[in-house]
């Protein structure tokens, strides 16, 4: 009977031990999952900041490439063009309204304070932007001038990423963070503290003037751009493109001011039979005639001069008569500018002469000839 109780007690102890081990393993896995989720949340949050900085570079490209003073974008709300804060980006509409500037809760837990008493260096390496969880820095290659100069931007964490309940760099969390950035992230490796490097960049730490970023600091590079990019015309561009060759445009060209031509202006030629128009104020060149202006949906002569001539017989008819040719205009009578026995709009018919058609192959009729003058 005592043996049976001993076996029951041993079995209970084994079951308790197994349950304890499972609980410990499960708690460890749960902690790891929470840790990985925190790294992923940090990466997603910083990628959103990166998108805002990319929009910042695109919107102010011309000013940024030529800026020499920190307040070059003061009129747009930026105290220092090279170090825009998250609050300034949000106010400018480049980050969504209410964007969490300190990052998600997991980010605040994993991005700990200064390491090994390096608080002064950490603060000195960052622009003054309050308690924001990440900072932005723009810089050019040292000694770079001309079109070869490139403008870079980097988003980096306010503090290094440390392991939970530790003052050591969280290599595993950083690895998860780098994986979540899809190759666009980098960090300050404790083994290479003088480099800020990732899959797509490798810069001296820091790549701008100032104290070095602390080991464990994570960063995202924003697409570098060259000053040669300013040679491309952008929407709402205020620069004169100064094209040096022919330009072809498929579609209407609208100008809100004067149009100046240093050479010749070639106008479309319209047939003389076209009398109506649809584009009010349009100017065209009538075939075998002068300039015409579209006014009240009618083409009207724009300049003075002869606008053709026509003739009518005694019955004021302008068509051939007789068998086999009813209603066909007589080319001998019609005005080539209108295709009929009329003057173009805007001109006046002046009587010239009256005579007979005898010997002209059209019977013996009296005709009256008119000249159209603008």
């Amino acid at each position: 009977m005592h043996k049976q109780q001993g076996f029951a007690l041993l079995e209970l102890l084994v079951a308790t031990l197994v349950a304890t081990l499972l609980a410990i393993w499960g708690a460890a896995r749960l902690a790891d999952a929470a840790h990985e989720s925190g790294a992923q949340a940090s990466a997603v949050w910083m990628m959103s900041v990166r998108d805002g900085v990319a929009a910042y570079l695109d919107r102010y490209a011309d000013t940024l490439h030529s800026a020499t003073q920190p307040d070059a974008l003061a009129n747009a709300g930026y105290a220092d063009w090279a170090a825009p804060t998250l609050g300034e980006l949000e106010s400018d509409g480049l980050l969504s309204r209410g964007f969490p500037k300190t990052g998600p809760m997991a980010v605040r837990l994993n991005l700990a304070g200064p390491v090994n008493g390096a608080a002064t260096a950490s603060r000195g390496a960052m622009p003054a932007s309050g308690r924001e969880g990440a900072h932005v820095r723009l810089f050019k290659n040292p000694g770079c001038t001309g079109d070869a100069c490139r403008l870079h931007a980097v988003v980096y964490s306010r503090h290094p990423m440390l392991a939970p309940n530790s003052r050591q760099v969280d290599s595993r969390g950083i690895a998860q963070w780098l994986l979540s950035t899809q190759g666009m992230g980098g960090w300050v490796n404790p083994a290479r503290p003088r480099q800020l490097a990732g899959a797509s960049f490798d810069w001296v730490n820091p790549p701008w003037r100032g104290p070095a970023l602390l080991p464990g600091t994570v960063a995202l590079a924003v697409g570098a751009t060259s000053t040669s990019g300013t040679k491309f015309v952008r929407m709402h561009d205020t620069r004169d493109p100064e094209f040096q060759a022919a330009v072809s445009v498929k579609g209407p060209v609208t100008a809100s001011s004067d149009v100046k031509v240093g050479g010749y202006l070639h106008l479309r030629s319209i047939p003389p039979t076209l009398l109506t128009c649809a584009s009010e104020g349009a100017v065209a060149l009538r075939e075998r005639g002068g300039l015409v202006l579209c006014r009240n949906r009618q083409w009207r002569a724009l300049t003075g001069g002869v606008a053709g001539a026509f003739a009518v017989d005694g019955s004021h008819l302008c068509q051939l008569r007789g068998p086999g040719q009813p209603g066909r205009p007589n080319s001998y009578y019609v005005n080539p500018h209108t295709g009929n026995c009329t003057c173009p709009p805007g001109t006046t018919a002046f009587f010239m002469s009256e005579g007979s058609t005898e010997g002209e192959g059209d019977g013996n009729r009296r005709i009256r000839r008119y000249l159209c003058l603008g």
Side-chain angles (χ1 to χ4, degrees), residues 46-313:
M46 287 189 70
M47 291 284 282
S48 298
V49 177
R50 180 187 181 276
D51 291 342
V53 176
Y56 172 79
L57 290 176
D58 184 67
R59 177 176 295 182
Y60 301 109
D62 299 337
T63 303
L64 295 175
H65 282 295
S66 60
T68 56
Q69 300 299 322
D71 60 353
L73 285 175
N75 59 342
Y78 296 93
D80 184 353
W81 66 267
T85 67
L86 304 192
E88 291 170 342
L89 293 172
E90 179 190 6
S91 298
D92 199 16
L94 301 179
L95 290 176
S96 59
R97 186 167 297 278
F99 184 80
K101 302 174 188 60
T102 56
M105 179 62 69
V107 179
R108 295 201 296 273
L109 291 175
N110 286 346
L111 296 180
V115 185
N116 298 330
T120 303
S122 174
R123 281 193 291 267
M126 291 179 275
S129 52
R131 298 180 179 179
E132 295 177 346
H135 299 292
V136 180
R137 189 74 185 196
L138 277 66
F139 61 95
K140 298 178 182 178
N141 293 337
C144 171
T145 58
D147 288 347
C149 185
R150 301 185 69 82
L151 180 65
H152 304 270
V154 61
V155 181
Y156 62 97
S157 60
R158 180 183 179 188
H159 295 302
M161 184 176 286
L162 305 180
N165 304 317
S166 172
R167 310 303 291 176
Q168 301 300 317
V169 172
D170 184 9
S171 299
R172 190 178 62 177
I174 291 177
Q176 183 64 44
W177 185 92
L178 292 172
L179 182 64
S180 300
T181 62
Q182 302 176 354
M184 290 183 286
W187 66 306
V188 180
N189 190 332
R192 301 177 62 206
R194 296 184 178 181
Q195 297 298 123
L196 176 61
S200 59
F201 59 91
D202 191 347
W203 296 316
V204 174
N205 177 24
W208 55 86
R209 291 177 180 266
L213 302 178
L214 297 176
T217 300
V218 292
L220 284 170
V222 185
T225 59
S226 170
T227 54
S228 60
T230 60
K231 293 182 178 179
F232 295 98
V233 179
R234 301 170 179 268
M235 292 182 62
H236 309 296
D237 208 329
T238 58
R239 299 168 298 160
D240 183 358
E242 298 184 271
F243 294 122
Q244 302 298 310
V247 177
S248 299
V249 179
K250 187 176 181 180
V253 177
T254 302
S256 58
S257 187
D258 300 338
V259 177
K260 298 180 181 180
V261 180
Y264 296 100
L265 182 63
H266 297 267
L267 298 176
R268 174 190 174 189
S269 180
I270 62 174
T273 55
L274 183 61
L275 302 180
T276 60
C277 55
S279 183
E280 185 71 15
V283 178
L285 180 66
R286 190 181 293 279
E287 293 178 1
R288 301 187 301 276
L291 294 175
V292 289
L293 172 68
C294 181
R295 182 169 295 171
N296 297 327
R297 304 183 70 84
Q298 295 286 328
W299 286 114
R300 303 181 183 276
L302 189 60
T303 57
V306 178
F310 66 92
V312 295
D313 62 15

